[in-house]
C-alpha cells in the first residue's frame, strides 16, 4: 500500500502532490493508496474526494465496516492494469 502524505501542505501544493503521486501509483501498478490529509477543516479531505471522483481509475474504499475509522485518512483503490501488464506496455 502506497501512502501519500499531504498533511500540513497548502491547498495548491497538496493538489499538485496528490495528482502526481496518484498518477505515479497508477503507472507503478499499485492497487491501494492511503492519503493522509489530517482532520483540520476538511479542505484536504474534500480535495482528495474531488480528485478521486475526477479520475476514472480511482475509487474510495469504505473501511468503516471492518476497521475502526480514521477521519484523517482516505483509502483509495487504484483500478488499472497489474504490474505484469504495465511492464509490457512500458517497453
Amino acid at each position: 500500500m502506497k501512502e501519500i502524505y499531504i498533511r500540513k501542505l497548502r491547498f495548491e501544493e497538496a493538489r499538485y502532490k496528490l495528482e502526481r503521486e496518484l498518477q505515479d501509483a497508477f503507472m507503478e501498478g499499485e492497487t491501494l493508496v492511503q492519503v493522509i490529509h489530517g482532520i483540520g477543516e476538511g479542505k484536504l479531505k474534500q480535495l482528495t474526494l474531488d480528485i478521486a471522483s475526477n479520475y476514472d481509475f480511482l475509487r474510495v474504499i469504505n473501511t468503516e465496516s471492518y476497521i475502526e475509522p480514521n477521519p484523517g485518512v482516505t483509502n483509495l483503490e487504484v483500478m488499472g492494469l497489474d504490474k505484469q501488464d504495465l511492464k509490457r506496455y512500458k517497453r
Side-chain angles (χ1 to χ4, degrees):
M1 177 187 306
K2 180 176 183 144
E3 289 185 354
I4 302 173
Y5 190 85
I6 59 171
R7 190 169 170 251
K8 297 184 181 180
L9 292 179
R10 295 178 185 214
F11 187 83
E12 288 300 318
E13 294 170 338
R15 184 173 59 85
Y16 175 74
K17 181 176 181 177
L18 187 57
E19 288 178 344
R20 184 175 38 113
E21 296 276 338
L22 287 172
Q23 290 171 359
D24 288 346
F26 177 77
M27 292 305 293
E28 292 169 2
E30 294 287 339
T31 54
L32 294 174
V33 175
Q34 187 175 50
V35 181
I36 303 167
H37 45 68
I39 300 171
E41 296 176 6
K43 292 183 181 188
L44 295 180
K45 179 172 185 155
Q46 189 59 47
L47 169 71
T48 303
L49 296 175
D50 290 344
I51 288 177
S53 67
N54 287 339
Y55 285 114
D56 293 337
F57 62 89
L58 292 175
R59 184 173 66 110
V60 177
I61 300 174
N62 185 3
T63 59
E64 293 178 6
S65 60
Y66 54 91
I67 297 177
E68 185 175 337
N70 181 352
V73 172
T74 300
N75 295 312
L76 300 174
E77 179 182 8
V78 181
M79 298 176 289
L81 302 172
D82 62 2
K83 291 183 181 185
Q84 297 296 339
D85 289 336
L86 280 174
K87 286 180 184 177
R88 261 196 326 229
Y89 287 118
K90 285 185 178 180
R91 290 185 200 180

